[in-house]
Amino acid sequence: MELHRNLLEEIRAEQGLRMESMKKYYPFFEIVSHDLKQFQNGKYKSIDIGYVLMAVLRMLIEENNFNNTGVTYTDYLNFVIPFLESEFALDCTPEEYAQLAGYVFDKIKNDGKPFSYEFYDPEEKIRKVARVWLMKSHFQEGNIYYYITESGIEFYLNTKEFKEESKISIQQLLLEKMIRTQNFKGGREIVKRICNEVLKLKMQKREVLQVLVHDLKNGLSLYREFFQESVCWFDEEHDLFMKNTRLIAGAMSMLSPVDQIKNKEEIFLLDSELKRAMAMHSELLSECMDLRRKVDSMVEQGTLNAIRPVVYFRQFLETALKKDDVEQLKLLAEPLFQAKKKKMFDLKRLDEMLALRRGMDEEREEIESEEEADYVYDDELEEQRISSNYRILVRELFVMLKKTDCFTLREWNEQLEVRYGQKIFANGDYYSFLVNLCQKHEIVIRDAVRHPATNFEAVLKQYFEIEGTEEELQMDFCLETLTDEEPVTFLECFSVTNIRVERMNGDDRADAGNRD
């Protein structure tokens, strides 16, 4: 028992899910079990009711999903009666055809009740009832309209192996039905299946590439088959993705306020899952386009190799094995035992080598040395502009200090406006300069230039390396923030706290040096 414990746990965990998954097939066998042998004393026993059921489901899918219309009972009769006439060639009156169609319709509709069966769930240790409808009805504008359920669509689609159609597109149609019937949780399961299909295609693409690397001929055959069965449907799949995305986006507006609150989280999760599936699908498309480029390159290289004088030893060995002839190996072994040690040149080639004179007809080509282009990037231009503007402002600051030992920011702005106009206050570098200026309350110029500790002191150092004078090196100053005064306004939209700039005397310098 211990040996099979993991196996039993797996069987137990999956049994409930498997029975739930099988319920979509149950209505078909339930309907077929009640064949037409008992109806009208077996008059219509030649009719395959399962065939009629599949035809009706296909008609409902066409009208509900592709034409977005409901099907009335009259529409049903207009489809089924001609179908019975053409497929079974019955000798019936119109009334008998209508009676037969009504009997079949009642079996499919199951009198409005779900098809149900019991099963045991070993995980929960209880018996459960699985219920499934193939169609449901809605009363609208005085008429009863019939619609195929998502279980009916899934049953119809799963009863065929779609080798010539996109499985992703089929799942997308089922997802559309889930969204329209407001089964958002079921829609998430469909999206997970779509993701699984995309992963399968990715694995198939990798397998094709691996075969191409080792066997170009067989790889090309797999490559063409892969593109014909999968890649050719990408445009259709993309359109369906976009259609379902729009449906999800408008899902909230189709719900009542109560349903909106109840389904808000499920709609969000479904939307997230679908976006993830779309991203995976786009990634697959990119990988397939990359595969196409690689295949083109491989084919080109294979064509070149085919016309070269080379021997494919693997192919040679496979041919020998197929012929079951050891003598074939002689062609490979003989050259190894008869290696030609002495090499010689053709006499004609020797004459050409001796007659060849270098430099007789050759013209020298003079190569001019070209200087490498000096590229200037945007961030370097930005730094140059800021440095240039900062030097101008430092120069103006010293000009003001030479005029007066003490001034305020408002007074300095008046001088700047006279020299540069109001456009200087529209320059962002001016405001960043003020921020850097106020990083320290006392500036000892010589110490700042020798050991810059702030951005402003680094600007001072750069200024004195280019144009600063000895007189300006003596202009130490201190800053005081005037929070009690009215802020300084710029261009009627900016305001800055006013500051006072004051030159320091010898004693002040000594105190500042001690504090530093």
Side-chain angles (χ1 to χ4, degrees), residues 7 24 96 180 209 218 220 248 257 285 287 298 343 381 439 441 503:
L7 180 61
K24 57 179 168 285
E96 289 174 331
R180 292 188 183 278
L209 186 58
N218 292 333
L220 283 175
I248 294 174
L285 177 59
E287 291 180 4
M298 288 179 178
K343 303 293 180 183
L381 292 173
Q439 287 178 328
H441 293 296
R503 286 188 63 175

Side-chain angles (χ1 to χ4, degrees), residues 67-266:
N67 297 332
N68 292 322
T69 59
V71 175
T72 63
Y73 185 71
T74 303
D75 297 331
Y76 164 79
L77 292 177
N78 292 336
F79 170 79
V80 170
I81 291 177
F83 173 80
L84 293 172
E85 290 177 346
S86 63
E87 295 300 313
F88 299 101
L90 301 174
D91 184 15
C92 298
T93 63
E95 291 77 12
E96 289 174 331
Y97 270 121
Q99 188 179 16
L100 175 60
Y103 178 82
V104 173
F105 186 78
D106 289 338
K107 292 298 179 183
I108 298 174
K109 185 165 63 72
N110 199 30
D111 297 327
K113 298 181 295 184
F115 294 91
S116 60
Y117 66 94
E118 290 188 357
F119 67 92
Y120 177 71
D121 188 343
E123 190 78 358
E124 300 183 17
K125 305 296 183 184
I126 57 173
R127 294 192 67 82
K128 290 185 175 181
V129 178
R131 295 180 175 85
V132 58
W133 287 265
L134 289 180
M135 66 167 69
K136 287 188 176 182
S137 59
H138 297 284
F139 186 79
Q140 298 174 355
E141 299 177 356
N143 288 321
I144 298 177
Y145 293 92
Y146 296 93
Y147 296 87
I148 188 171
T149 63
E150 56 267 20
S151 298
I153 295 176
E154 192 172 4
F155 161 73
Y156 184 83
L157 297 180
N158 286 355
T159 50
K160 178 184 175 184
E161 183 64 29
F162 292 88
K163 292 186 177 179
E164 297 180 357
E165 297 182 45
S166 167
K167 292 183 179 180
I168 295 177
S169 295
I170 294 166
Q171 297 295 337
Q172 294 263 32
L173 293 175
L174 185 56
L175 174 61
E176 179 185 348
K177 184 65 178 180
M178 293 284 190
I179 297 171
R180 292 188 183 278
T181 56
Q182 300 175 13
N183 186 356
F184 303 112
K185 187 175 182 180
R188 288 170 57 196
E189 295 299 322
I190 300 299
V191 175
K192 289 178 181 178
R193 292 186 206 169
I194 294 174
C195 292
N196 288 335
E197 291 297 331
V198 173
L199 290 175
K200 288 179 184 178
L201 290 176
K202 284 191 173 185
M203 293 177 63
Q204 188 177 351
K205 190 254 331 171
R206 285 195 289 267
E207 291 172 0
V208 170
L209 186 58
Q210 289 175 358
V211 176
L212 279 167
V213 171
H214 298 95
D215 189 345
L216 184 60
K217 184 178 179 181
N218 292 333
L220 283 175
S221 177
L222 292 175
Y223 164 77
R224 295 190 188 98
E225 183 180 348
F226 174 69
F227 264 71
Q228 289 172 359
E229 294 183 359
S230 305
V231 180
C232 63
W233 300 101
F234 277 6
D235 289 340
E236 175 187 310
E237 292 165 1
H238 176 74
D239 292 341
L240 290 172
F241 269 123
M242 299 308 297
K243 181 179 180 181
N244 284 325
T245 301
R246 290 192 294 269
L247 280 176
I248 294 174
M252 291 293 287
S253 60
M254 296 187 298
L255 300 175
S256 64
V258 176
D259 289 336
Q260 287 181 5
I261 297 172
K262 184 171 65 174
N263 294 297
K264 184 177 181 180
E265 183 178 358
E266 286 294 339

Side-chain angles (χ1 to χ4, degrees), residues 310-320 329 331-333 336:
V310 296
V311 177
Y312 292 99
F313 292 96
R314 183 185 294 276
Q315 186 177 359
F316 189 90
L317 178 61
E318 290 176 354
T319 304
L329 299 178
L331 298 174
L332 293 178
L336 301 177

